[in-house]
Every structure is written in C-alpha cells, then in structure tokens.
Amino acid sequence: MNLELSDEQRLLADTARAFVDRHADDADPWPAMRDTGWAGLLVPEEHGGSGAGMTEFVLVCEALGRGPVVSPLIPSVTAALALRWAGTPDLQDQWLPTLATGAFTGTVAVLEAGMRDEWSPAPMSGLGALTGTKVLVPWVPDVAVIVVVTSEGLRVVERSGAVRVHDHDPLCAEPHAALTFQQAPAERLGSTADSAVVLARVLDYNAVARLAYAIGAAERALELSVDHATNRHQFGRPIGTFQAVAHRCAEMRADVDACRYLAYRAAWALDHDADAAIAVTAAKSFANDAMRRVFLHAHQVHGAMGFATEHELHRYTRVAKSFELSLGGTTRHRDRLATEIGLGSRP
Amino acid sequence: MDFEFTEEEEAFRTELSDFLDAEVPDWWQGMFTEDERAMPFTRELCAKLADRGWLTMAWPPEHGGSGASVWKQAIVREEMWAREEPRGPQYMNLNYIGPLLMRFGTPEQHARFLPPMARGEVIWCQGFSEPDAGSDLASLITRAEDRGDHFIVNGQKIWTSYADSPADWCLLLVRSNPSAPKHRGISMLLLDMTTPGITVRPIDTMAGPHEFNEVFLDDVRVPRDCLLGGQDHGWDLVVAGLTFERTGIARYARAGRVIELLVDYANDAGLGDDPIVRDRLADLYTRYDAARLLNYRAISMQAKGEVPTVEASVARMHNTQLEQAVGHVGLEILGPTGQLRAGDEWAPLRGEIHRYWTRNIPSTLAGGSLEVQKNIVAQRGLGLPREP
Ligand SMILES: Cc1cc2nc3c(=O)[nH]c(=O)nc-3n(C[C@H](O)[C@H](O)[C@H](O)COP(=O)(O)OP(=O)(O)OC[C@H]3O[C@@H](n4cnc5c(N)ncnc54)[C@H](O)[C@@H]3O)c2cc1C
C-alpha cells in the first residue's frame, strides 16, 4: 500500500499543470496538446501510443479540469479504448496510430432520447446500416471516427456517415451535438456479448476520467474560495475569520481529498483489473454528492460574485454538474454498489 | 501508487485475524459494558500478543519491538478496532504513550516504563481534560508546584477514560508555571495512580459505566524523575502525542464491520431488494471507503517520514461522521426493536447497532472535536486567517 505518486507521475502531473497555465485560454488547445502525447497514453506502444496507465491519464485529466481546458482529449481517448479492446486488427491499424498522435480525434455516441443514462440499453439497432439519432455526443466538429453504441453492440462509423443536426449548449464548455445516422455504413466492434463487456469497461474508464477532470475543477473552486475568504472583508475583518465560512472551506478540502483518492484508487483498480467495478462505482457515487456539497459551499463563500459570469467560478460549477449528470446518477451507482457489497434476495 | 497490501502483509493479517477469532470470546463487546470479565480479558490478550511479538511490533528493536512497517501497524489497528479493540486501554500505550516516552524520556524512564508496556502488563490513562479546559486544553489549571526533588499536584481532571479500570499510571498534564504564557507553562508528569491524594469518581454515560471518570488530585506528590520532557515544555509533547493519536485508531474498520453486519441483516430480513435500504447502505459503504483511503493517505505520508497533521484531521472528519451515520442508518434499518439493548432476546444483532450508535454520539468530540479538526484544516491546511 502506498498512496504517494511516483516521481514520474509527479512529473507528469506538474507538466500537465504547466500546460494548463500556458494554454487554458487558447481558443483551441488541441494543436499544443497533440505534442504532449497524452492522446496516446492509453494506446499500446505497438499502435503508436505510450502504453501508460489510467493513473497517468487521470493525473492529466485532473490538471486539465483546473483550466478548465476544453479539448476533445477525453472522448477521443475513450473511443480509442473501445477500438483497442474490441476492434479487429484492421480497424486498430486504421485508427489507433492516428488517435494516439492526436492527428485525428474520435468520440463515442451513447445517448439517445429516452435513455435514462449511459448505462441504459440503447434503442438504436446495429443490424445492417445504422439509422437513428444520438444526442449529447461530445466534440463533433472535426471528429474523424465515431464509436456508436447500439442494441447489438458497438459499431464504428466514419465522420461522413453522420449528419450533425443540432449543436447543443450543454452545461459544460465542450461542444456537444445531436447526430443523425441515415443508413450509415458501420463496422462491428466485437460480438454482441464481447461488446457489452467492452462497453461497460469503456464507460468505467470514461467515468473515472471525467471524475478526475471534475476534481481539478473542484480543487480550483476551493482555491478561489480560500482566496476570496482571505481577501474579502466584511464587518472589518476577512470573512475567512468567521468559522461559518472557514468551516465550509475545510469541508470542501475534506470532500475534494476523498474524491481524489477514490478516483486514484479506481484508476489503479482499472489498471490492475482488481475489483474495478466496485472501485469505480464507489468513486462515482461518492463524488456525485460530494461535488454538490463542494459547489454549494464555493458559491456560498463567494457571495453574489460567484453567480456573475465575469467571475470564473461558474465555469467550474458547470464542469462539476455536467460530471454529476453524466455516466450515472448517485441512485444508479448506489444500486450497483449495493449488489457489489452483497445486498440482494436470499436464494 | 499502490492500493494493495503485499502478500506478506496479507498473510500477516490472516494469521492475526485467525488468532483473534480464536481468542476473542463471543461475549466481548468492548470495554464499556458492565461485563466484569472485560478488563481481565484485555490483560490476558495483551500478554498473549506480547508473547507472539505482536504487541509492540511497531516499536523500534532497541525498545523491544520489531520495527514493523507502518502498514503492518495499520493492519493491527484495523483488526483490533474491527473487533472493538480487545487490547482495551493498552492500545494507548502502544500508539502514543510509549512513543512519547521513547522520544522525550530519559534512559532511566525508558528502562522503567517501557518494558512493562511491552509485556502488556500495565494500564495507563490520559489525564488531560479539565472541567474548564476541553478544546482549549492549554487553559488547564491543575497546578504542579516545584519542590526540588518532587512536585506537589493539586487540581482536577475530567473525562479520564479507564482511570477506574483501575489504571496503574496516568499521563498527566499540569500547569507548572502560572506566570508564563498559557502554552509555555505546562508540564507532563507520569503519575503513579496508587499515590496518596488521588480520588477517582466514575461518571456514568449513555454507553454505560467505565467510559470515563473524574480524577481529583489533593497534594499529590510526584517525584521529579517522573517529569517527562522539559519542565514547562509539556505542550510540545501534547502536539506530538495528538498527531500519533489521530492516525492511531482505525475507526473506519469497525464501521466497515458494522456495515457488513447490516448487509447480512438486511438480506435475512428480506430487505436486500428494498431500494431505499440498498441506497442507504451503499452510501455508507462509499463513505467508509473514502474514510479508509484518507487514513491510508496519512499513513503513506508517515511511511515517508512526514507528519500528516492536516491530513490526519481530514481523515478524522470523515471517520467520526461516518461512525455516527452508520449508527443512525443502522438503527433505521432495524426499526423499533433497534432500541433494545444487548441482553434482550428481541434485540436484533444482539444490540450491537444500538451500542454502536450510542457510543459514537461523542465521536465528533473525543480527541479533538469536529470543529477543532475543521479549524486545523482551514488554518493550517488552507492558510485561512485566524479568528481575531
Ligand atoms: C468518550 C470520550 C472519552 C474521553 N477520554 C478522555 C481521556 O481519556 N482523557 C482526557 O483528557 N480527555 C478525554 N476526553 C475529553 C475530550 O478530549 C474532550 O471532550 C474534548 O477535548 C472536547 O472538550 P469538551 O468536551 O470540554 O467540549 P468543549 O471544548 O467545551 O466544546 C463544546 C463545543 O464547542 C465547540 N468549540 C469549542 N471550541 C471551539 C472553537 N475554537 N471553534 C469552534 N468550536 C469550538 C466544540 O467543537 C464543541 O462542539 C474524552 C471525551 C469523550 C467524549
């Protein structure tokens, strides 16, 4: 047992922090991000990636959330994971090297109208060519390849096969769109059964990456709150000298720390294939609620200023809420966890 | 990062756990029951642990330990706390009274006090709190007058756990210099509890007897060789000791065990599919998981030789509130019969949840209140300005 980062991991986290300091305000940080090699962190070396682990990816995502740096990194890496685990050798050769360098980006289309969350069965049929509409698909404008979730498993569709019908204006800053497929030619990613297993893993990885990003945002919100509590004076003293304010900050610290170590442990479990389902679901369900608490406190400490969009707090609030609403709400994850810890009917 | 114990550590856990399963009797429910067998049992168990080299395994070899890693120590704490700490009061000797003696004691004090602790033969209690010195411990007024080769102590301690066990010795905090600023006039004394002038009065609690006591000190004579650390420098020892203490208890381990009991209970009662019960228990589990990981973070820092003051406070915030939540949700799941106590044949889970809820009512107070932990995190951790 050792919860300290290794020297290499610390270096990676520092590099990512420095990147965020430099590029947080870039209109498009992707060209700079391509040079970092992060898009290939989870792609094996034989396909042009660096074959690092989820822990490394989590450290990068956490730093990016501090910006927040808006980029296609998470959806693209998620698409690469699906191809890596379920793609035929041809599909892997076709896509993994370019996704790993970031020359192309990918995304994953999961949700359709009427789906409760990403874990619900998708109505779109995967037999033959794909027809139907996916909503809230991340980062569409210059995407090259789309992994599509269907009732018969995962499918791969090239950009030309999809028609963007609507740009969403979601809570988070990343562009999202609704995509319509009309008899789109699609390639199969694994058998139906394999794909269900792969999809579950892909969603787990995606949840942990997004959690890490939200943790970066929450850490920034805490820093802003501490700054504000130190500098804002009322009744002749810094508001941080009022315990009602200071204790909210202390609670934020305690919650952000808990989320962080739950996320690191989940990443570690994914890397080591050790009870990953329980680790991911515990992290997601704890963090859903913890993020609410953290941002309630952050806004309360900031006063009216936090509600004004000229202050940066709202950007982090949106990241956190978008995380909470994605990849399963608290109730869903607690139900999954309840089964994992042994609750159920007696046989 | 590594979120696994090594094979060797896991093997040690199994060995210890098998030993405890065999040695800890069915009736054992912790120290604070009316059961007369409790205290003698803890003494016997400690002696057996000492025989196996497990009692002071965390101590350095020069003091009779085997310098076990912080992780093995964590395993011991988890296995003990999960079983309601069958070492009884002696866990304090091992976790911080012994280490304080090693760090601040003279060679004579080492030779005199450490070996009986290592053999599991001596009960110590902690005489810090006073009626007017709780969270503001440094305002304590129990007076020790310097009489050359000895001190004369007058005053009163309160909430002293285990003093009526009876305790053999007391780690006593006194005001040795009333004219110095409040943190600079305090000393730590090693008080033989058989000294004339000491009166122990048990205070009954919601959790039953023996939880704590008042200790009255009237012209109690303490020889100078029982001064620990520098005269008037007792506060340094308090600070060091409290840090040992905060990570010295694996509170989450008992909470985890109680959650397991509740899962089994719910399944047996046909509640395993009840969405609300599932939701509540899963919530507790995530909080348990978070508390455990935050303890592990503090221990990882100790492994590197760092002192995790703020991190220990963060862990404690999670641990103590977890304990209270587990008690509340547990009783809610049991329903009306949850209020029945151990000994009542209709008490579900032998009254265990009732007891757990009760004894954790003050868990956010003992050893530094929740608010005090938050002050530490806010001021020392986040650098927020102090209150005026
Ligand atoms: C089960 C149990 C066992 C104990 N065992 C021992 C023992 O063996 N030896 C021993 O010496 N002591 C022992 N104690 C005493 C314990 O250390 C004190 O209870 C603790 O330090 C709090 O002091 P208090 O109870 O006087 O509460 P107070 O300090 O009076 O606090 C009351 C309330 O005021 C709040 N408060 C106080 N100061 C502040 C502040 N600055 N900011 C915000 N809020 C504040 C507290 O958080 C709390 O909510 C034990 C206590 C318990 C409950």
Side-chain angles (χ1 to χ4, degrees):
Chain A
M1 193 76 60
N2 172 19
L3 275 57
E4 298 279 324
L5 298 178
S6 69
D7 289 344
E8 298 84 65
Q9 288 169 338
R10 220 174 270 284
L11 188 68
L12 176 65
D14 290 346
T15 311
R17 287 278 278 264
F19 178 93
V20 173
D21 291 342
R22 225 166 328 133
H23 297 286
D25 298 325
D26 289 9
D28 181 9
W30 189 242
M33 207 182 284
R34 268 202 295 259
D35 299 335
T36 61
W38 296 336
L41 278 176
L42 293 178
V43 175
E45 285 176 35
E46 68 263 30
H47 289 114
S50 56
M54 186 57 181
T55 308
E56 283 68 28
F57 191 55
V58 152
L59 293 173
V60 169
C61 293
E62 186 184 336
L64 296 179
R66 294 174 55 85
V69 172
V70 176
S71 82
L73 183 69
I74 294 177
S76 195
V77 165
T78 308
L81 285 174
L83 285 154
R84 168 184 162 189
W85 290 325
T88 57
D90 282 352
L91 272 177
Q92 295 188 347
D93 287 343
Q94 183 183 356
W95 293 113
L96 287 180
T98 44
L99 290 176
T101 58
F104 287 147
T105 65
T107 190
V108 183
V110 186
L111 291 167
E112 291 172 54
M115 281 171 72
R116 176 90 183 87
D117 59 35
E118 289 84 341
W119 310 79
S120 323
M124 186 181 285
S125 167
L127 294 174
L130 296 187
T131 298
T133 299
K134 290 283 182 186
V135 297
L136 270 171
V137 182
W139 203 266
V140 169
D142 47 12
V143 78
V145 57
I146 307 164
V147 172
V148 184
V149 178
T150 74
S151 54
E152 280 80 32
L154 298 171
R155 298 289 181 271
V156 189
V157 178
E158 293 194 22
R159 173 70 181 87
S160 54
V163 180
R164 183 160 110 244
V165 287
H166 174 70
D167 286 324
H168 297 297
D169 179 17
L171 264 175
C172 58
E174 280 96 352
H176 280 67
L179 296 184
T180 293
F181 301 91
Q182 280 278 324
Q183 293 294 317
E187 278 200 68
R188 176 188 269 284
L189 267 184
S191 68
T192 308
D194 289 349
S195 270
V197 176
V198 169
L199 174 62
R201 272 180 91 185
V202 166
L203 292 178
D204 277 347
Y205 272 74
N206 193 235
V208 176
R210 299 225 18 203
L211 168 56
Y213 190 73
I215 288 167
E219 184 70 44
R220 262 310 280 160
L222 172 55
E223 287 168 14
L224 292 170
S225 301
V226 169
D227 281 352
H228 189 73
T230 306
N231 298 319
R232 166 79 173 165
H233 284 63
Q234 285 293 282
F235 301 97
R237 54 197 257 211
I239 57 168
T241 61
F242 296 108
Q243 278 193 356
V245 173
H247 284 187
R248 282 183 187 266
C249 295
E251 284 172 32
M252 291 167 77
R253 170 81 286 150
D255 264 332
V256 176
D257 282 2
C259 290
R260 174 171 291 124
Y261 286 91
L262 285 164
Y264 289 172
R265 200 268 313 265
W268 182 90
L270 289 168
D271 282 337
H272 292 79
D273 232 349
D275 286 333
I278 195 167
V280 172
T281 215
K284 175 69 169 128
S285 91
F286 185 94
N288 277 350
D289 285 10
M291 289 293 164
R292 281 190 205 175
R293 292 191 291 267
V294 166
F295 282 89
L296 281 173
H297 289 331
H299 277 273
Q300 195 64 18
V301 169
H302 275 83
M305 179 57 88
F307 195 51
T309 52
E310 62 196 62
H311 190 282
E312 56 187 309
L313 179 62
H314 75 282
R315 301 172 63 199
Y316 303 108
T317 311
R318 287 159 181 271
V319 167
K321 197 64 180 175
S322 168
F323 158 76
E324 184 200 325
L325 294 175
S326 306
L327 294 142
T330 311
T331 327
R332 191 213 167 272
H333 280 283
R334 288 204 192 141
D335 188 54
R336 183 181 179 205
L337 188 59
T339 304
E340 295 284 344
I341 63 173
L343 280 161
S345 354
R346 280 271 183 252
Chain B
M1 273 186 284
D2 182 2
F3 286 85
E4 244 171 359
F5 287 102
T6 62
E7 259 172 51
E8 194 226 331
E9 286 160 351
E10 289 293 2
F12 168 67
R13 187 195 290 279
T14 307
E15 199 187 347
L16 176 64
S17 172
D18 290 347
F19 168 81
L20 291 172
D21 286 344
E23 291 292 334
V24 179
D26 213 31
W27 54 261
W28 169 254
Q29 293 203 308
M31 276 302 291
F32 306 119
T33 64
E34 277 156 64
D35 202 316
E36 307 262 307
R37 293 170 291 183
M39 195 63 203
F41 160 70
T42 65
R43 283 179 180 269
E44 276 166 37
L45 186 85
C46 284
K48 287 184 187 167
L49 287 166
D51 285 345
R52 285 176 167 66
W54 287 343
L55 193 64
T56 53
M57 51 177 252
W59 290 10
E62 63 266 35
H63 296 302
S66 49
S69 75
V70 289
W71 294 110
K72 274 199 176 163
Q73 298 173 45
I75 289 172
V76 172
R77 293 197 296 260
E78 289 180 352
E79 293 304 314
M80 295 296 174
W81 205 257
R83 292 176 177 78
E84 293 285 9
E85 192 47 272
R87 293 174 300 182
Q90 293 192 56
Y91 80 89
M92 298 196 301
N93 302 0
L94 311 166
N95 286 355
Y96 75 96
I97 303 180
L100 272 181
L101 273 156
M102 291 173 210
R103 179 143 150 212
F104 296 97
T106 61
E108 292 73 29
Q109 287 173 333
H110 291 168
R112 181 173 172 198
F113 293 107
L114 294 174
M117 284 189 193
R119 289 193 300 268
E121 285 170 358
V122 59
I123 306 292
W124 282 77
C125 62
Q126 169 188 314
F128 286 12
S129 304
E130 297 182 6
D132 289 323
S135 302
D136 184 12
L137 182 59
S139 67
L140 61 94
I141 55 173
T142 290
R143 180 80 174 94
E145 272 175 71
D146 186 343
R147 297 277 179 87
D149 69 343
H150 67 278
F151 297 89
I152 293 293
V153 180
N154 279 288
Q156 184 198 339
K157 294 291 167 179
I158 196 168
W159 318 128
T160 323
S161 302
Y162 317 115
D164 67 333
S165 295
D168 306 303
W169 287 85
C170 176
L171 191 68
L172 185 73
L173 217 50
V174 292
R175 177 141 321 268
S176 45
N177 185 351
S179 46
K182 101 177 169 176
H183 293 87
R184 306 244 179 82
I186 292 173
S187 297
M188 199 174 270
L189 298 178
L190 309 171
L191 172 66
D192 179 345
M193 289 295 279
T194 60
T195 317
I198 302 175
T199 312
V200 174
R201 190 186 74 83
I203 303 172
D204 221 347
T205 74
M206 291 182 73
H210 312 305
E211 177 85 43
F212 42 47
N213 305 272
E214 285 178 293
V215 177
F216 299 93
L217 303 152
D218 291 307
D219 288 332
V220 176
R221 187 190 158 106
V222 180
R224 174 165 290 278
D225 62 10
C226 286
L227 169 69
L228 181 62
Q231 187 163 339
D232 297 345
H233 287 286
W235 195 252
D236 300 344
L237 282 70
V238 174
V239 172
L242 288 181
T243 308
F244 296 141
E245 198 193 8
R246 269 181 211 132
T247 46
I249 301 182
R251 294 175 169 277
Y252 58 85
R254 183 68 197 163
R257 189 61 61 90
V258 173
I259 293 169
E260 283 172 15
L261 290 176
L262 290 169
V263 166
D264 284 344
Y265 176 86
N267 286 341
D268 289 343
L271 296 169
D273 293 324
D274 182 295
I276 293 173
V277 168
R278 291 169 65 82
D279 188 79
R280 299 248 159 148
L281 286 175
D283 176 35
L284 292 182
Y285 182 87
T286 64
R287 295 178 61 178
Y288 152 72
D289 213 13
R292 189 169 63 101
L293 289 174
L294 290 169
N295 269 62
Y296 289 172
R297 172 186 53 170
I299 299 168
S300 296
M301 293 176 66
Q302 286 176 324
K304 275 201 339 194
E306 292 170 14
V307 181
T309 309
V310 174
E311 292 75 11
S313 288
V314 166
R316 199 179 169 88
M317 285 172 66
H318 282 273
N319 273 272
T320 55
Q321 295 181 92
L322 164 72
E323 290 179 302
Q324 293 178 340
V326 169
H328 284 292
V329 173
L331 285 183
E332 179 191 350
I333 290 172
L334 302 189
T337 51
Q339 63 196 305
L340 301 176
R341 297 208 283 160
D344 187 318
E345 85 174 89
W346 282 276
L349 296 173
R350 302 196 304 166
E352 171 55 39
I353 310 301
H354 175 98
R355 222 167 44 73
Y356 190 73
W357 168 76
T358 313
R359 54 168 303 205
N360 286 309
I361 288 173
S363 83
T364 43
L365 289 164
S369 76
L370 180 60
E371 289 72 21
V372 168
Q373 309 302 328
K374 288 183 188 175
N375 288 345
I376 293 172
V377 174
Q379 291 164 11
R380 295 233 236 151
L382 297 171
L384 281 166
R386 290 182 180 275
E387 297 156 68

